[in-house]
Amino acid sequence: MNNSRTRITRLPLARWLAIEFSVIVILSLLWTIESRLAGYSAFVGGLIFIIPNAYFAHRMYRYQGARNAQLMVGNMFRAEGIKLALTAVFFAAVFILMEPVHVPALLFTFAVVVVIGGVLRFLIQPKQQL
């Protein structure tokens, strides 16, 4: 039997999240050049994306194997719904509770991290595990 077919692939989620977090920190530092509020808002905008995404990854990749396929599909839809709800709640909380907000920094960083997340799906290859 082909040995590559019997291996389980494992996504490098820690590296993925570390890259996204690094992008958030770099963008926040760049926005800090304009003002401290812009840097802080940029950091919060990145966290609005990364926290729900980390939750989704945790819930989605909890189960592996063909025997858990039904659990995986159920978790996928549940986790995606909760991820979208968390994102909406975080945006609402920022605009309601955070009094001075630099909106361009917040939204720009959020958008850049969304794009980076999509690009990382193509750049980071899953690791094969025996």
Side-chain angles (χ1 to χ4, degrees):
M1 181 176 252
N2 188 352
N3 198 18
S4 67
R5 285 187 168 193
T6 61
R7 293 182 179 170
I8 297 173
T9 58
R10 185 146 197 128
L11 293 173
L13 296 175
R15 190 169 82 176
W16 195 326
L17 292 172
I19 292 170
E20 287 179 341
F21 191 74
S22 299
V23 168
I24 292 170
V25 169
I26 291 168
L27 286 173
S28 298
L29 290 173
L30 290 174
W31 276 102
T32 304
I33 294 170
E34 181 173 327
S35 71
R36 290 177 71 190
L37 175 64
Y40 179 72
S41 296
F43 188 74
V44 170
L47 288 180
I48 289 173
F49 176 79
I50 203 169
I51 291 172
N53 228 23
Y55 173 80
F56 175 79
H58 168 70
R59 294 291 297 187
M60 183 60 202
Y61 298 108
R62 219 161 62 167
Y63 302 107
Q64 292 182 357
R67 292 182 183 169
N68 294 321
Q70 191 171 8
L71 286 172
M72 290 170 63
V73 171
N75 264 349
M76 180 182 67
F77 288 114
R78 194 173 308 112
E80 182 65 25
I82 292 172
K83 180 180 103 169
L84 292 173
L86 280 174
T87 304
V89 166
F90 287 161
F91 267 118
V94 164
F95 286 119
I96 292 171
L97 301 175
M98 201 170 128
E99 189 42 43
V101 178
H102 193 276
V103 177
L106 182 114
L107 295 178
F108 179 80
T109 305
F110 180 82
V112 167
V113 178
V114 167
V115 170
I116 292 293
V119 169
L120 287 178
R121 287 182 180 88
F122 295 107
L123 295 179
I124 296 180
Q125 298 299 319
K127 294 179 183 177
Q128 290 191 346
Q129 178 182 341
L130 295 176

